[in-house]
Structures are given as structure tokens and as C-alpha cells.
Amino acid sequence: MTTLTNARIVLPDGVTSGTLHIDGGRIAESSAGDTLDLEGRYVVPGFVDMHVHGGAGASYQSGRAEEARRAALFHLAHGTTTTIASLVTGTSDELANAVTALADLAAEGLIAGVHLEGPYLARDRCGAHDPALLRDPDRAEFARLVHLGAGHLRMITLAPELPGALDLVRDAADAGVIAAVGHTDAPGDTARAAFDAGATVATHLFNAMRPLHHREGGPVAAALNDPRVTAELINDGVHVEAAVARLALAAAPGRVALITDAMAAAGMGDGDYRLGVMDVQVRDGRATLADGTSIAGSTITMADAFRRAVTRLGTPIEEAAAAASLVPARALGLDSRVGSLEAGKDADLVVLNDDMSVQRVMKGGRWS
Ligand SMILES: [Zn+2]
């Protein structure tokens, strides 16, 4: 039981000064016990990262519990209190092993589920995925992965123009798995068909998809115009420039989710790494395939994505906090538990310094 006093509490519709009560791991109407004076610091809801591959040198792809734990705890220290574990394209057996291992960690509460980024992606928009491993949608393979996920497979990114993709979108929706449109060369009408079939997310909007053209808006316009769709945005200043990030936030208020798409190099500095089977080099914090042909994920944390929204994009703090928490929580169907500082929700929060850097992180009522 804790009471945080003298806080600037960031709520979805604005900032209020006052006191935040925590009791039994939840935000409460009142509480007894310790009092902590936050000296006027901002408190935002814990960040929700719906697209992240690893960090601190560790990768979710490995299927090793200690690695997954290291990645999740690294991001927790930077404010991510709810995380999905994303897997890049791999062989069927590799994905089956990783999904099985990660489902156990989701059952334990370390992660909030698994995101399959692939393997049903467009070859000409494969980004840092191994083109040799890409394949057409395979309903039997997907059904097996759903089964192995034991209720913890949360999302699959696929290219809707591939043969059988729309059937797979419907299978995903039936199985309670979010279908996300991404790594796609689809024109707008094909993207819209996927959204009509039940897809509700656009994976890292702008990146690894047909670009927006004024005579063919492609998946970008289809996603931004569709009130059912949440658009992920990698807000690292490398993947999407500030002017375009601002356009997306303005075009789809309350529907843009900041993500990291971070890979193992996050928190590690420059060097040589792997993303799935691909060799990746990080120079000046920028991750690219070793042959330089594609950006290969980011090296940021959600704290970086959030701070950049406020300080570089000029996004009002309550909108940046929502983009980093409530919007992804809603997209994942987790907003009854997390995503805002409301009584009854989990006591997941981030205390910020004046420069928007992280001072302290609480998950489930415990400081981490
Ligand atoms: Zn990714």
C-alpha cells in the first residue's frame, strides 16, 4: 500500500495534480501505508510495447527463457510494464519452439503474448526478414502455432496480397489472434479487404509497405482512414521522420501506437548482432542488415519513443502517453487491466523527470 503525493498525473484527457493511491497491486480510490512525495514529477501509465524482438543482447527468437527474461527486464527498467514478444520469420520448427517457450512465459506473466511477424510476408517488402524463409499463408501451420501458443498467441503480421491471406485473417480472428497488415506491397483495396476480413492493426506503418502515393494510397491511407485499425509507429527518428510521424498522429487521433520494434542491440551500443538468421550491424545506434540493404529493427526503448514524441514531435504529454500505453493496450484487448491510471487497473506506472527521462518504474504495485 502506497500513496504517491505531489504528482502530476497524466490521464487520457489531460494532466491533474494530486495524489495516486495504490493498494493490492492496483490503483485505488484510497490507501493507507507509506507516502512518497514525487515533488511535482509527472506520472504516466506504464508503457505497452506491442512490437519488440529483444534487448540487452537477448532475443525472444532464441526460445530460451533466460534470454526472454533478460529482454523483458531490460525494457521494464525503461518503462515497458506490458510487452509482447515478437518473432521474425523462421522455419516452422523454429517458430514452434519459440512459441511454445514464450507461451510458458506469458502464462507466468512475464510477457503479455507472442506476435508472429511473418512468415507470410511479401518478398519485395521483406525488410530484415530472410526472403528464403518467406512462404504463402499456410492455414495448417498457423493452426499448429495457435495450438502451441495455448491462448498466448496475440498477433500475426501478414501480407494480405498473398494467396490465402484473407482466409488466414479470418482464421486468426476466429482464434482470437489479432491479424496485422504489414510487410506488404498491397494496394489500398487489398489492405481494405483485409481490414474488412477482421485485421485490426497496421504493422509499423510506412515501413516495409507500399508507400503512400496520392493516386494509390496503399495500406498507409487504408489504415489511417479506418477507425477499426491501430497503426504502429516506430518513433526512433530513423524509421519515420518527424514530419511524417506528426501526419500519422494527426490523421488517426487515438489510433497510433508507439512501438520500439527493438532488437537485441537495444541497450548494448554499436556492434554486430543477429535478428533471426540475419546478420545485423549497429552503427551510431542505427541497426541495418550487414549488407546495408535494409533497416533492421531499432535500438530504442519505449521511454525513448515516448520522450521523442513529446520533445521532438511536440505531441501533448497526455497524447504521447496514450500512444505509448492506452492505444496499444486497447489494440491488444488489455485495456481493462492496463493503459491508464484509473482506479481498478494494475498499478503499472512510470515516474518521469522534467526532461521526460524515466525516474522510476512500478509494475503491479512494486517498484522495479
Ligand atoms: Zn519487427
Side-chain angles (χ1 to χ4, degrees), residues 51 53 86 88 115 117 129 183 204 261:
H51 189 156
H53 298 272
S86 297
V88 293
H115 163 215
E117 190 177 14
H129 292 249
H183 286 274
H204 42 54
D261 197 14

Side-chain angles (χ1 to χ4, degrees), residues 36 60 64 129 158 171 185 203 227 247 253 301 311 313 335 359:
L36 182 68
Y60 291 121
R64 285 190 288 274
H129 292 249
L158 78 172
D171 287 355
D185 199 41
T203 297
L247 270 183
T301 64
T311 62
L313 305 182
D335 54 313
Q359 198 236 1

Side-chain angles (χ1 to χ4, degrees), residues 205-226:
L205 194 75
F206 301 112
N207 297 113
M209 62 176 61
R210 178 193 281 242
L212 187 150
H213 185 278
H214 54 288
R215 281 189 290 274
E216 170 48 67
V220 174
L224 290 176
N225 281 331
D226 193 325

Side-chain angles (χ1 to χ4, degrees), residues 4-21 27 38 40-45 317-318 341-342:
L4 306 178
T5 62
N6 200 6
R8 276 189 282 176
I9 304 162
V10 179
L11 299 171
D13 52 357
V15 180
T16 176
S17 290
T19 299
L20 199 61
H21 298 287
I27 295 165
L38 293 186
R41 288 190 176 85
Y42 284 110
V43 183
V44 295
I317 188 168
E318 64 272 20
L341 300 173
E342 294 172 83

Side-chain angles (χ1 to χ4, degrees), residues 50 115-116 142 153-158 169 172-173 175-180 198-201 328 330-333:
M50 62 190 288
H115 163 215
L116 289 171
F142 177 67
L153 186 60
R154 282 265 176 201
M155 182 156 86
I156 179 167
T157 294
L158 78 172
V169 167
V177 177
I178 295 161
T200 55
V201 169
R330 221 180 250 151
L332 295 167

